[in-house]
Amino acid sequence: MKLLICLGCGQHLFDEEPDRCPLCGTASNRFRAEKEIEQRYRVVTSKVTDQVRRLVVEPELGIASYRVESGQDSVWIDCPAVFDRDLERVEAILFTHGDFMGACNRYRELWGTEVYLNELDTGHRFARGHRGPQGPRGFQAGFA
Ligand SMILES: [Zn+2]
């Protein structure tokens, strides 16, 4: 499967190369193959609180995501745009929206991580095999 990534927003584009990114409108000459993206970009983690870490892609690409620790489990709120196999595993990835699903399918393959979407986003074409709206126990608040 051909996988392109938009340099404007980090959106992953599968099986197609539209003239412009459907999410941010960036022209197709700024789409790059996943392998090139993995070589040029990395995910940087910074502390927000003892239980929360912020993940950003450098150079800047996509949106910030967050790692939340409960003491027992850990989840991401949204997913980095870039696949970085050196990141610490999470039990689940919880999305606040259907766009910027980033590299979640790659992390799911690597870690067996569960991916949860808002029910209204489950029809998204990148959402194959993901679950509905409820997160793992202890992380359901705000996602029901
Ligand atoms: Zn884009």
Side-chain angles (χ1 to χ4, degrees), residues 5-11 13 20-26 31 100:
I5 296 169
C6 171
L7 290 180
C9 69
Q11 177 76 7
L13 309 160
R20 295 195 168 275
C21 173
L23 187 60
C24 72
T26 293
F31 298 164
F100 296 117

Side-chain angles (χ1 to χ4, degrees), residues 4 16 26 33-34 38 47 51 58-59 66 79 87 89-90 96 110 118 120 122 124 126 135 141 144:
L4 297 169
E16 63 186 70
T26 293
E34 183 181 38
E38 286 183 21
K47 181 179 176 178
Q51 286 81 38
E58 290 187 353
Y66 294 87
C79 184
L87 293 175
R89 183 186 187 278
V90 290
T96 58
L110 179 68
N118 183 291
L120 295 176
T122 55
H124 196 287
F126 296 164

Side-chain angles (χ1 to χ4, degrees), residues 75 92-95 114-119 122 130-144:
V75 299
I93 303 171
L94 312 178
F95 280 96
E114 307 245 335
V115 177
Y116 294 86
L117 304 173
N118 183 291
E119 189 170 18
T122 55
H130 298 336
R131 296 209 176 177
Q134 60 187 173
R137 189 169 53 205
F139 291 101
Q140 292 184 1
F143 292 90

Side-chain angles (χ1 to χ4, degrees), residues 1 3-5 12 32-40 81-83 103 106:
M1 183 188 305
L3 175 59
L4 297 169
I5 296 169
H12 287 213
R32 296 292 183 271
E34 183 181 38
K35 188 167 192 157
E36 180 184 339
I37 292 286
E38 286 183 21
Q39 290 168 352
R40 284 181 50 185
V82 171
F83 180 62
R106 301 293 310 279

